[in-house]
Amino acid sequence: MAERYPNVADHGLIGDLQTAALVDTNGTIDWFCCPRFDSPSIFASLLDAERGGFCSVRPATDDYVTRQLYIPNTAILITRFMTEAGVGEVVDFMPIAKGPATDRHRLVRLLRVVRGTMSFVAEIQPRFDYGRASHTIESAEGEGVMFSSADQTLTVHRVGGFVMHGPERAGKVEVVGDGIRVTGSLDAGEITGVVLESGGAKPKRVSPDELTEMFRDTRRYWREWNDRSTYTGRWREMVARSAMTLKLMTYAPTGALVAAPTAALPEQVGGERNWDYRYTWVRDASFSVYALLSLGYTDEAEAFVAWLMDRIHESVGTGSGPLKIMYRVDGSSDLVEETLDHFVGYRGSIPVRIGNGAADQLQLDIYGEAMDSIHLADTHGLQLPHVGWTQVAEMLDWVCENWDRPEEGIWETRGGQQNFTYGRFMCWIALDRGIRLARSRGRPADVVRWTEQRDAIYGQVMSKGWHPERGAFVQHQDTDVLDASLLVMPLMGFIAPRDPMWLSTLDAMDKELVSDSLVYRYNPSASPDGLRGSEGTFTLCSFWYVDALARSGRLDDAQFTFEKMLTYANHVGLYAEEIGLTGEQLGNFPQAFSHLSLINAAVNLDYQLDHGSGFVDPVLRKGRRAT
C-alpha cells in the first residue's frame, strides 16, 4: 500500500488565500478542497488512492528522477522531471483570489520541456464531496472539459493550442473512467498546460498572454508580500518560507488561520489519531499574532484580532463560555465530526475523520492565548474600541468565575477532564493581560477582582502544579507526568527563566521528553489520553524548547537544537505536525503551529544571541511579557 501513498513530506503547498492544494514530488495533486479550506474535497487520493480523486502529470516512462522547488520568494511550485531523453517540468500555482469570499478559484498547471524531448501522461480524475457524489463530463471541443456534480463543478480550460503532440504531431485525449487522460510529447521550448477552475465557468481556451499575466501577477504578489518582512536575522530563508506558509493557510476574507489545510493525516501510520485540522483554533491563531508582528505583518495580525473580537462579540452571554476552541474560517461553529467509512485512509489509517468533535471541549487556556494576542496587538497600536473592551471585560469576568474547573486541556485529550496546569497558568495570563490593558489605557474594569483571582491562580499553580518529588511542574494536579506545553511558562512571563523551580523542570524534561533535540508532548503511556497508539515528537514543542533553552542561559544548546530542527524540514522547507522515530513527517501537513513556532524561535534566538541570554526580544520590549 505504501507505494500508492507518497510520504507526507513529499509535497509542496500552493494556494490562493482561500483554499490550497498539495502537489507531490511526482507531479500529482492529491489533496484539494474547494471553494474553501474546509469545503469538501475534489482531489483526495492522499486518503484513498482509488476513491479520492487526483490530477497527475508525469513522464510516460518509469525511468525518471524528480526534483521539487519553489521559485524563490514565491508560492509558485516547480516539479522537475529528468530522463535520458530530456528535462521537463510542471509549474503549479494559484492566482490570488482577491476581495470577498468567492466560489471561483483557479489552479494553473503549466507543462514545459526545457531540454530534449519528453513524452507525458496527464490525468484528471475529480471525485466530488470526498468521493461521495457522482458527476457528469461535458466536453467542449477544442476548449476543454467541465466536470459537474450536484453541488460542485470543475472546469478544465485548455492553454493556447494545447501543443502536446505524439509521433504524428497529435496528442491524444480520452475519457478514462470518470475523468480524462492526455498523452503526447513536447520538444525543448514547447509549453502547454491546463487551468482548473471552480465555480461553474464554461470551458475556454486560455491564451498564452493571459497565462503569462496570471503567472506574473502571482509571482509579483508573493515577492511584494515577502519584501514587507522586517526580519533581518540569521535564518532568513527558513523564516520567509514559514511566513509564506502561514499566509497560504490564512483565509483572507476573514483573516482566520487554519491549523493545517489537510484532514485525517495520521499521527501514527495505521493508528486512529487522525483529525481534521482545516479550522481556526483560537490557540493556534493567537500565537500567530506574535509571529506576524515580529516580522512586520501588521495587517495580517490586525485582521485576525478583528476576527477574534467578532467571535467574542457573538458569544458574550451564552452559557457555554465566551469562546469555543475552534471555528470554521467564516466564524461559524458547526464542526460535527463524522467518519468517511468509504475511504481506506492514508496507508490504512482509519478512521478518516472530517469535522472535529473537540470543538465543544472546555479548554481554559484559550483565554490566555486570546488575551495575550489582544494585548500584544494593543502594544503595536491596534487598540480595542469601547464595545470591544466591554466584551473583553465580560470575558475576563467569566474567567474569574470558571478558571478553577476541570477541562480537556491544550492537547484535546479524550480521556476525561483534569485540572491541567497549562490551562491554569494561561488563565493567569488572561487576567494579567487584562489588568495591564485596563491600567495602561484607563479602561473601566473590576481590577481588584481580576487581581485577586490572578494571584489565586498563581498560588495554586505554584503549590498544586508543582510536584516536589519530581522537582518539576507537571501536567495536572493528580499526576507526576511531565508536559511540554509548560515550556511556555517562562516565555509568557509566568516564571523567571532562571528560577530554580523552572531550571529543575527543564532538566526533568531534558531527561524524559527530549530525544536528540526533538520533544514529545507528554508520555501517553504514563498519562492515558483516551486514544490507542503512540505518536511522534511534536514540532511545536521542539521550537518552544529552543526558546526555553535560550532564556535559561543555554544559548549554545538553543542554537544547536534550532539548527538541528531545521534539518527536519522537507525538501521545500515545510513541516507537518510531528516527526517520527525515523525522521518522517507525521500528522496534518503543513502545520501552522510548526511554522509560527519556528518564526518565534528564530526571532527570539536571534535577539538572545545578539544581546545575551535573559534579554527581552524586540517584540516583547513594548511590554508584552515580563521575564
Side-chain angles (χ1 to χ4, degrees), residues 403-453:
W403 65 263
D404 197 14
R405 291 173 57 182
E407 42 136 356
E408 275 84 8
I410 179 176
W411 305 129
E412 297 171 8
T413 58
R414 301 194 178 188
Q417 295 184 333
Q418 299 288 349
N419 296 305
F420 285 104
T421 305
Y422 182 82
R424 292 293 193 273
F425 102 75
M426 272 295 178
C427 286
W428 182 93
I429 295 294
L431 294 172
D432 178 73
R433 302 313 188 249
I435 293 165
R436 294 188 191 196
L437 281 174
R439 288 174 172 166
S440 65
R441 298 297 180 189
R443 298 290 177 90
D446 192 348
V447 174
V448 172
R449 182 191 185 199
W450 292 0
T451 303
E452 289 174 349
Q453 294 302 309

Side-chain angles (χ1 to χ4, degrees), residues 115-390:
R115 189 172 70 246
T117 299
M118 187 171 291
S119 296
F120 290 94
V121 178
E123 193 164 350
I124 303 173
Q125 294 284 349
R127 299 292 185 269
F128 297 101
D129 189 24
Y130 307 107
R132 297 180 294 193
S134 61
H135 64 268
T136 60
I137 305 175
E138 178 185 347
S139 178
E141 188 64 32
E143 304 296 328
V145 174
M146 176 181 282
F147 302 96
S148 302
S149 72
D151 299 316
Q152 291 177 293
T153 63
L154 182 70
T155 303
V156 182
H157 302 297
R158 289 177 61 172
V159 171
F162 205 86
V163 301
M164 192 155 65
H165 52 76
E168 295 80 25
R169 309 293 296 176
K172 181 180 180 182
V173 182
E174 57 184 331
V175 175
V176 177
D178 292 320
I180 61 171
R181 180 184 295 156
V182 182
T183 56
S185 63
L186 294 175
D187 295 329
E190 292 184 324
I191 298 175
T192 187
V194 293
V195 177
L196 309 180
E197 183 173 358
S198 65
K202 296 297 182 182
K204 68 175 184 179
R205 193 175 300 237
V206 178
S207 70
D209 288 344
E210 186 178 356
L211 187 69
T212 299
E213 183 179 3
M214 283 190 282
F215 175 83
R216 289 177 176 172
D217 285 349
T218 305
R219 183 179 61 184
R220 182 184 308 113
Y221 174 86
W222 285 108
R223 287 185 171 172
E224 289 178 352
W225 188 85
N226 187 67
D227 287 345
R228 287 172 47 202
S229 174
T230 58
Y231 180 76
T232 58
R234 294 166 174 79
W235 301 286
R236 297 183 193 181
E237 184 176 351
M238 288 299 295
V239 167
R241 181 53 57 195
S242 288
M244 282 186 280
T245 304
L246 291 181
K247 183 67 172 176
L248 281 169
M249 290 189 278
T250 301
Y251 185 68
T254 64
L257 175 76
V258 296
T262 57
L265 291 179
E267 296 176 16
Q268 178 188 28
V269 174
E272 67 170 337
R273 300 167 186 258
N274 318 317
W275 314 112
D276 189 348
Y277 276 12
R278 297 171 299 154
Y279 309 114
T280 300
W281 269 253
V282 169
R283 174 188 308 111
D284 304 36
S286 294
F287 276 121
S288 76
V289 172
Y290 177 67
L292 292 167
L293 288 176
S294 70
L295 303 182
Y297 291 115
T298 306
D299 292 345
E300 286 77 4
E302 183 176 13
F304 170 72
V305 171
W307 179 90
L308 175 61
M309 292 306 303
D310 286 343
R311 305 291 78 75
I312 296 174
H313 171 74
E314 292 166 357
S315 58
V316 166
T318 63
S320 60
L323 286 173
K324 287 185 173 293
I325 69 166
M326 71 180 89
Y327 300 85
R328 292 188 179 273
V329 291
D330 63 357
S332 61
S333 55
D334 177 19
L335 282 79
V336 176
E337 185 173 298
E338 60 179 306
T339 60
L340 301 179
D341 293 331
H342 62 290
F343 272 6
V344 301
Y346 176 80
R347 297 184 180 176
S349 303
I350 56 174
V352 176
R353 295 183 176 93
I354 57 172
N356 200 305
D360 293 322
Q361 287 187 353
L362 176 65
Q363 298 177 18
L364 292 171
D365 66 280
I366 64 173
Y367 299 100
E369 288 126 2
M371 279 306 303
D372 196 53
S373 67
I374 291 170
H375 177 256
L376 178 60
D378 180 88
T379 66
H380 284 72
L382 307 177
Q383 297 182 32
L384 291 177
H386 168 71
V387 173
W389 171 254
T390 301

Side-chain angles (χ1 to χ4, degrees), residues 471 482 500-512 554:
L482 301 177
M501 295 175 73
W502 172 249
L503 294 178
S504 177
T505 300
L506 189 58
D507 287 342
M509 290 186 184
D510 283 340
K511 297 172 184 176
E512 188 168 310
R554 296 166 58 183

Side-chain angles (χ1 to χ4, degrees), residues 387-406:
V387 173
W389 171 254
T390 301
Q391 293 163 350
V392 163
E394 290 183 32
M395 182 179 76
L396 293 177
D397 288 339
W398 183 92
V399 172
C400 285
E401 296 169 0
N402 290 275
W403 65 263
D404 197 14
R405 291 173 57 182

